[in-house]
């Protein structure tokens, strides 16, 4: 980075000397010679420093706390490479470590001007114990961290429905939405994932999500939505003779018949409603509905009604 800035400044400087040389000024020729000598000496210093910096650090082997750390052969000390401990010591919010461990105190005292952390090989056990206390945190308490993938599993219902393209509302322009899409595509198991270091961005994404009526449904008032899904209505009105839906789904239990006479007579016994805040559950329930197989009967029903959760009057 320093080399690039130096060369950029040098380029601007040489333009000035080129203009002076074109005018035949003797002092310009002498100045150019001095500048070329200075450049040659400076580049040697830059290149020498770069080579020395890389050459000193070698894989840790058994000298340091873990394989992510590097060993400085000249200074005979270890450079911390554990990303969780590093993020914690830099006060990032997406990871937690035990703050008063001896290893943490050793590392804090050894921070250099470039935010690198060092320790002596004799302290590797203390540093290793500190590393073991570090745990990534996810965007929400309901999200779970999977160490095998080094990912957080998303559990936010509204965000999940929106990401599936089935309705609800979230802000598509947030970095958190992009982080979830990229990580989920990489894992490719049909679930929604994100890297722990993106937890703060995902948390902001969650805040942008708001519950709405299920896709295709209409608003009755500021609190309730009306069921408009044709297959769900067929199931609710005809009891599963033509359409079968998951009868023990939380979305099913959210739906109830609208009391007769409400909404200026709109509710006549055939209207069903649910609270707006449960829109994502109802939307998920709609996806379970399918046409009853030919031949009739209830044997084709996807979920038995034996243990059904009765709908609540909301």
């Amino acid at each position: 980075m320093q080399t690039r800035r130096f060369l950029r400044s040098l380029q601007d400087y040489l333009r000035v000397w080129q203009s002076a040389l074109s005018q035949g000024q003797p002092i310009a020729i002498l100045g150019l010679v001095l500048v070329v000598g200075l450049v040659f000496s400076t580049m040697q210093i830059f290149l020498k420093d770069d080579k020395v910096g890389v050459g000193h650090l070698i894989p840790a082997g058994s000298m340091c706390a873990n394989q992510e750390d590097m060993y400085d052969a000249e200074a005979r000390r270890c450079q911390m490479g554990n990303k969780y401990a590093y993020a914690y010591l830099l006060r990032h919010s997406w990871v937690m470590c035990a703050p008063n461990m001896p290893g943490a105190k050793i590392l804090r005292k050894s921070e250099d001007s470039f935010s690198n952390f060092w320790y002596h090989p004799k302290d590797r056990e203390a540093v290793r114990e500190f590393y073991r206390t570090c745990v990534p945190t996810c965007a929400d308490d309901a999200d779970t961290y999977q160490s095998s993938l080094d990912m957080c599993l998303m559990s936010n219902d509204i965000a999940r429905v929106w990401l599936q393209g089935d309705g609800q509302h979230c802000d598509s322009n947030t970095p958190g939405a992009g982080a979830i899409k990229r990580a989920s595509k990489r894992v490719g198991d049909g679930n929604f994932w994100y890297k722990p270091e993106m937890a703060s961005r995902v948390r902001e994404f969650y805040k942008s999500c708001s519950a709405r009526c299920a896709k295709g449904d209409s608003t009755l008032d500021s609190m309730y939505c009306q069921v408009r899904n044709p297959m769900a209505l067929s199931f609710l009105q005809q009891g599963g003779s033509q359409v079968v839906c998951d009868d023990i789904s939380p979305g099913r239990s959210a739906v109830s018949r609208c009391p007769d006479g409400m909404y200026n007579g709109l509710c006549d016994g055939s209207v069903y409603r649910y609270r707006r805040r449960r829109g994502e559950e109802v939307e998920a329930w709609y996806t379970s509905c399918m046409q009853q197989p030919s031949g009739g009967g209830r044997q084709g029903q996807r979920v038995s009604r034996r243990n059904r959760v009765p709908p609540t009057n909301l």
Side-chain angles (χ1 to χ4, degrees), residues 6-298:
F6 174 78
L7 291 175
R8 197 176 297 117
S9 300
L10 176 62
Q11 187 179 18
D12 294 337
Y13 188 67
L14 288 175
R15 287 198 191 98
V16 176
W17 282 104
Q18 185 179 13
S19 176
L21 285 170
S22 64
Q23 297 175 16
Q25 298 178 14
I27 189 67
I29 298 174
L30 177 60
L32 181 59
V33 172
L34 292 174
V35 168
V36 171
L38 177 62
V39 170
F40 181 76
S41 301
T42 304
M43 289 305 297
Q44 281 192 320
I45 292 172
F46 277 134
L47 293 175
K48 182 179 179 182
D49 286 348
D50 288 343
K51 290 177 182 176
V52 169
V54 173
H56 284 177
L57 292 176
I58 61 175
S62 60
M63 296 293 294
C64 302
N66 68 8
Q67 296 302 310
E68 294 175 314
D69 296 352
M70 299 293 287
Y71 181 68
D72 188 329
E74 185 176 273
R76 297 183 179 179
R77 58 180 183 169
C78 296
Q79 183 186 53
M80 185 187 73
N82 183 284
K83 72 173 184 177
Y84 299 130
Y86 187 74
Y88 173 76
L89 291 172
L90 291 181
R91 297 177 177 83
H92 290 193
S93 62
W94 58 272
V95 63
M96 291 296 298
C97 304
N100 298 318
M101 298 286 289
K105 295 176 181 178
I106 291 169
L107 291 168
R108 284 195 186 97
K109 292 178 181 178
S110 65
E111 182 179 4
D112 63 22
S113 57
F114 298 101
S115 294
N116 294 311
F117 296 88
W118 304 86
Y119 60 93
H120 194 275
K122 67 180 178 62
D123 295 320
R124 61 179 176 270
E125 284 300 327
V127 173
R128 186 179 295 130
E129 287 300 315
F130 168 63
Y131 287 173
R132 288 172 180 164
T133 70
C134 297
V135 180
T137 59
C138 299
D140 187 85
D141 289 342
D143 295 352
T144 54
Y145 174 72
Q146 300 289 331
S147 58
S148 60
L149 294 173
D150 190 25
M151 295 267 192
C152 289
L153 177 64
M154 192 193 78
S155 62
N156 185 288
D157 287 332
I158 299 177
R160 177 175 50 79
V161 170
W162 180 80
L163 287 164
Q164 290 170 341
D166 293 328
Q168 301 306 309
H169 171 74
C170 298
D171 187 349
S172 61
N173 296 319
T174 61
I180 293 171
K181 291 176 182 178
R182 289 190 298 272
S184 302
K185 184 178 180 179
R186 194 176 306 122
V187 176
D189 65 352
N191 293 305
F192 292 104
W193 302 88
Y194 58 92
K195 299 290 288 182
E197 50 263 44
M198 296 301 293
S200 61
R201 304 294 182 87
V202 172
R203 194 175 298 117
E204 291 302 313
F205 165 64
Y206 286 171
K207 291 178 181 178
S208 77
C209 298
S210 58
R212 292 185 174 182
C213 296
K215 192 175 184 179
D217 290 352
S218 58
T219 301
L220 287 171
D221 56 26
S222 61
M223 188 176 296
Y224 287 96
C225 301
Q226 180 180 355
V227 174
R228 293 283 191 180
N229 184 280
M231 296 187 74
L233 280 173
S234 176
F235 174 78
L236 291 167
Q237 293 168 353
Q238 301 179 31
S241 61
Q242 297 182 13
V243 174
V244 59
C245 303
D246 182 352
D247 210 13
I248 60 173
S249 163
R252 170 64 186 96
S253 65
V255 175
S256 62
R257 193 187 302 272
C258 180
D260 291 347
M262 288 193 69
Y263 305 107
N264 296 321
L266 172 66
C267 296
D268 58 2
S270 64
V271 174
Y272 289 81
R273 68 176 185 172
Y274 57 89
R275 288 185 181 271
R276 182 194 298 263
R277 61 180 170 80
R278 302 191 68 178
E280 72 276 8
E281 295 177 353
V282 175
E283 200 146 32
W285 174 59
Y286 288 168
T287 63
S288 75
C289 297
M290 62 181 180
Q291 288 292 139
Q292 184 73 269
S294 60
R298 306 179 70 84

